[in-house]
Amino acid sequence: MSKRKIYWTLQIVGWTLLIMYEFVLYTLEYGFDRTNFYSSIANILLGITLTHIYRLVIRRWNWSTLPLPRLALRGIASVLFLGLIMTVVNLPLDRKILEENLMNQPFVFWNYYAGWCKNLLAWILSYTVYHYVEQNRLTDYEKIMLKTSMREAEAKVLRSQLNPHFTFNALNSIRALVFEDPSRAQISITQLSNILRNSLLADRRKTVDLQEELKTVVDYLELEKVRYEERLQYTIESNPQAVYWQVPPMMLQTLVENGIKHGVSKEMGGGFLEVKSDIEDDTLIILIRNTGNLISAPSNLENMDSGGVGLKNTAERLSILYGKGASFRIFQEKEGVVCSEVRIPTLSDQMQLLQVD
C-alpha cells in the first residue's frame, strides 16, 4: 500500500473512531439524536479537512526542514488555531443539543477548547514527528548518495589520469627493436597492446583481480627490459590465496613505473625491482622494493612523482575505494632500497555498492 493510501486510511478511520466514540457515549446516555448524528458526521469531515490543510502547509513550506524549536512553535500555534476553529464551530451546535447540561458547567468554552486541542495535538504531534524523521532520513540518504556519486566521479578522474604514463617510453623502446630484433618487437607490441587494453578497461572497472594486475606489471617490466637490458632485474612473488583479491586497476603498474623512473634509472649500474604480495589478518599487503634513495619526505607524495599524479593518485584512489581500511606509504627501507607498501582490506559494503553501475 502506498503512503498516500495509508495516510487517507488513517485519516478517515482515526477521525471516525474518535468522533463516533463520543457519539456512542452520548447515545447510550441520552438516546439516539439525529441532529447529533449529523453533527458528528460534520465533525469527522471538518477534522479531516483541517488536518489535511495542516499537512499541505507543512509540506508546502517545508516545515520539516526547520530547526526543531521553530518547528515546535509552529506545531503549537497550529494546535491552538485549529482547536479554536473546532470549538467555535461545535459550541453553538452543542448548546442546542445539550443546552441544560452545558449551562450547568462552568468554563464551557475553555473545556471545549482544551478537549479539541488535546485531540488535535495528538494528530499534529504524530504527523509532524513522522514527517520530521522521514525528511531527515531522506536527507541523510541523499547525502550518502551524493557523496557516493562524488567519490565515484573522483575515482573516474583519477583512473583517467593513469592512462598515458607508460605509452611514450614503451613506443620508443619498440621503435628501437623494429630493425634490430623484429620478433622481439612483435612480442613487445603485444605486451604494449595488453597494457593499453587494460588501461582503457580501467575506466570501466573499479577493481580487478590481483593476478590480472600482476600480468600487466610483467608486460610493463618486459618492455622496460628492452630499454635497460641487464641494468633492470626484477622478481614477482605472490601468495596463491591473494591472486583473486580486488585491487584498483593500473595501480601496481604506476608504483612499479615510479620505482624504475626514480630508482633504477638513476643508478649507473641499474638495479632491481621486487614485487611481493601476501595476506595478513584479512588484509592484502603488497610490497614493492626497488633500488634507490628517497629525495623528498615520505609524506610529501605530490613532489615525489612528476606531475604530482602517480603516488598521490594511489593514496587517493585507495581512500576513495576502501576508506580508512586501506593505506599506502613509501619509505626508505635501508640504504639504497626504497619500499612502497600498499594495504588493501577485503571489498567493503561501500565498494560493493560502487561496483553496481
Side-chain angles (χ1 to χ4, degrees):
M1 184 181 293
S2 65
K3 291 183 179 180
R4 184 180 182 85
K5 290 182 178 179
I6 293 175
Y7 164 76
W8 281 112
T9 300
L10 293 177
Q11 274 281 72
I12 295 172
V13 173
W15 280 107
T16 300
L17 289 176
L18 174 65
I19 302 301
M20 295 311 294
Y21 171 75
E22 297 180 354
F23 172 76
V24 170
L25 292 180
Y26 167 82
T27 301
L28 292 176
E29 185 172 355
Y30 298 103
F32 179 79
D33 185 284
R34 182 175 298 178
T35 303
N36 190 29
F37 176 75
Y38 292 148
S39 175
S40 297
I41 298 299
N43 275 330
I44 293 174
L45 297 176
L46 182 60
I48 292 175
T49 301
L50 291 179
T51 50
H52 183 64
I53 291 175
Y54 172 82
R55 177 176 180 264
L56 295 178
V57 170
I58 194 175
R59 291 165 65 93
R60 172 65 178 82
W61 280 281
N62 294 321
W63 284 10
S64 57
T65 61
L66 295 173
L68 197 56
R70 295 175 62 185
L71 177 61
L73 288 176
R74 283 167 170 76
I76 293 173
S78 299
V79 169
L80 298 176
F81 179 69
L82 296 181
L84 179 62
I85 294 177
M86 295 295 290
T87 301
V88 169
V89 171
N90 278 275
L91 191 57
L93 297 176
D94 287 352
R95 280 185 180 278
K96 295 180 180 179
I97 300 171
L98 301 172
E99 185 173 356
E100 295 181 0
N101 293 326
L102 290 174
M103 292 301 295
N104 295 331
Q105 295 181 8
F107 309 109
V108 175
F109 175 84
W110 295 110
N111 288 337
Y112 256 63
Y113 189 43
W116 282 113
C117 284
K118 179 183 67 176
N119 295 332
L120 288 165
L121 176 62
W123 191 98
I124 289 178
L125 184 62
S126 299
Y127 182 80
T128 303
V129 169
Y130 166 78
H131 202 64
Y132 181 79
V133 172
E134 182 73 4
Q135 182 66 32
N136 284 342
R137 186 185 69 82
L138 291 175
T139 300
D140 291 340
Y141 177 76
E142 290 174 355
K143 288 180 179 178
I144 292 173
M145 294 304 296
L146 178 60
K147 185 177 180 180
T148 301
S149 298
M150 291 176 63
R151 291 172 74 87
E152 171 63 4
E154 291 174 2
K156 287 184 177 180
V157 171
L158 294 175
R159 289 198 302 268
S160 67
Q161 290 177 329
L162 299 177
N163 298 340
H165 277 196
F166 52 84
T167 308
F168 181 76
N169 289 335
L171 288 174
N172 281 337
S173 299
I174 295 173
R175 183 180 62 180
L177 285 176
V178 170
F179 296 105
E180 296 178 6
D181 192 345
S183 61
R184 180 73 181 278
Q186 291 180 356
I187 296 174
S188 297
I189 290 173
T190 301
Q191 293 168 339
L192 177 59
S193 175
N194 293 336
I195 296 173
L196 290 176
R197 182 178 64 253
N198 290 332
S199 177
L200 292 174
L201 291 176
D203 288 334
R204 304 177 187 176
R205 298 182 294 181
K206 284 75 178 178
T207 61
V208 296
D209 292 342
L210 175 62
Q211 63 178 354
E212 184 176 342
E213 183 72 358
L214 290 176
K215 290 179 182 178
T216 302
V217 169
V218 171
D219 286 336
Y220 173 79
L221 288 172
E222 286 298 317
L223 286 173
E224 289 296 80
K225 284 278 288 183
V226 176
R227 294 177 59 201
Y228 295 102
E229 298 180 342
E230 297 304 319
R231 293 180 58 215
L232 172 61
Q233 302 297 325
Y234 74 87
T235 58
I236 296 179
E237 298 179 13
S238 180
N239 185 331
Q241 296 180 350
V243 294
Y244 295 108
W245 208 277
Q246 296 298 295
V247 300
M250 305 302 293
M251 180 192 71
L252 291 186
Q253 185 275 333
T254 302
L255 297 179
V256 169
E257 179 183 8
N258 183 81
I260 294 177
K261 180 177 180 181
H262 297 283
V264 177
S265 67
K266 302 293 184 180
E267 301 294 328
M268 291 294 296
F272 76 95
L273 187 136
E274 176 185 271
V275 179
K276 286 187 177 182
S277 60
D278 204 351
I279 298 176
E280 292 183 9
D281 300 327
D282 292 329
T283 300
L284 174 66
I285 300 177
I286 302 174
L287 298 176
I288 302 175
R289 296 183 176 90
N290 61 268
T291 302
N293 292 285
L294 289 180
I295 300 176
S296 304
S299 59
N300 192 4
L301 296 179
E302 185 169 346
N303 293 330
M304 294 177 62
D305 195 15
S306 60
V309 175
L311 301 183
K312 184 173 182 291
N313 199 335
T314 298
E316 290 178 355
R317 294 177 72 197
L318 290 172
S319 175
I320 289 173
L321 293 175
Y322 301 96
K324 296 181 180 180
S327 65
F328 168 68
R329 67 184 181 123
I330 182 169
F331 57 95
Q332 191 77 46
E333 186 176 56
K334 60 183 180 180
E335 181 64 26
V337 178
V338 175
C339 181
S340 299
E341 180 189 77
V342 178
R343 290 178 175 264
I344 300 177
T346 54
L347 211 58
S348 65
D349 292 339
Q350 180 187 17
M351 185 57 216
Q352 291 176 4
L353 177 63
L354 288 175
Q355 287 281 65
V356 180
D357 289 331

